[in-house]
Amino acid sequence: MSTAAIDTPPPSAAVRHSPAENIVGILVGTLVASLGLFLINSAGAVTGGTAGLVLLLAQVLHWPFAVIFAVVNLPFAVLAWTRKGWSFVASSVISVSLFSTFSLLHPKFIEAAHVNPLYAVLVGNLAAGIGILIVFRHHSSLGGFNVVALLCQDRLGWRAGYVLLGLDATVVALSALTAPLHTVLLSAAGVVILNVVLVMNHRPGRYPAAL
């Protein structure tokens, strides 16, 4: 039998999501990601990403979280606008807004006073990773470090999960200046879980409709 007979046929053209699918996907992704963040926060663990960086800066600068968050995210928004276009930026703004809204709603419906910290951090980061993955696959992001990770994947071929893992690990390491060691170690384990989800499931060539 010739090798040509067993070669894998070329993939068909990528089928992109419809607008309705994107809307539902972003709603679900931001809801799941915000639920993960709620579990992480309920355990008193350190949050990675841009939000974690802003929390650290807020402790030093004593500025309102919203002000620092806007200032920190501004250059990422400009970068996304120039490299990925206005539709991606608009979609990301919507995703961030939904994520923030859902984050405010969870404490009103869930009593998390007795959640085991290990369970909360590990499952919370797993949920956050799944939520971010869904958002990525609908051509959107949660801003900040997400933008850098997606651009590195688009332009350099680096997996977004690895890029985010490096950035998140840096934030968690910096948190050691103010947080107890056991909290930092638990948070580091959670960061690994979150980004392994992205490494395994969002990579160049695997889901072209989202890139």
Side-chain angles (χ1 to χ4, degrees):
M1 181 182 294
S2 67
T3 56
I6 59 175
D7 284 343
T8 302
S12 59
V15 179
R16 297 190 176 275
H17 293 292
S18 68
E21 290 173 332
N22 283 329
I23 292 171
V24 174
I26 290 174
L27 280 169
V28 172
T30 52
L31 175 64
V32 174
S34 64
L35 178 60
L37 180 62
F38 172 78
L39 289 173
I40 296 167
N41 288 339
S42 71
V46 178
T47 304
T50 312
L53 177 61
V54 171
L55 286 173
L56 291 176
L57 290 175
Q59 294 178 7
V60 176
L61 300 176
H62 304 291
W63 292 359
F65 177 89
V67 173
I68 302 177
F69 190 79
V71 171
V72 169
N73 271 285
L74 182 59
F76 294 109
V78 173
L79 180 64
W81 186 285
T82 58
R83 298 295 182 178
K84 294 185 74 68
W86 68 268
S87 62
F88 176 82
V89 174
S91 177
S92 296
V93 169
I94 293 172
S95 293
V96 171
S97 300
L98 287 170
F99 179 80
S100 301
T101 301
F102 287 138
S103 296
L104 294 175
L105 291 177
H106 292 310
K108 299 182 182 298
F109 294 98
I110 303 175
E111 174 57 56
H114 303 294
V115 175
N116 179 277
L118 179 62
Y119 175 88
V121 170
L122 299 185
V123 175
N125 276 282
L126 179 61
I130 293 171
I132 293 171
L133 174 65
I134 295 172
V135 171
F136 279 0
R137 288 191 168 181
H138 289 273
H139 195 60
S140 189
S141 76
L142 295 181
F145 291 167
N146 282 190
V147 173
V148 175
L150 290 174
L151 285 175
C152 286
Q153 179 159 298
D154 292 349
R155 307 286 175 167
L156 303 175
W158 300 351
R159 295 194 197 179
Y162 285 139
V163 177
L164 280 174
L165 178 59
L167 295 171
D168 289 349
T170 301
V171 172
V172 171
L174 290 173
S175 72
L177 298 174
T178 57
L181 179 59
H182 70 275
T183 299
V184 175
L185 294 176
L186 184 58
S187 301
V191 162
V192 171
I193 290 175
L194 187 159
N195 289 293
V196 163
V197 172
L198 300 177
V199 168
M200 293 177 61
N201 296 284
H202 194 73
R203 56 186 293 186
R206 176 157 289 175
Y207 203 81
L211 304 178

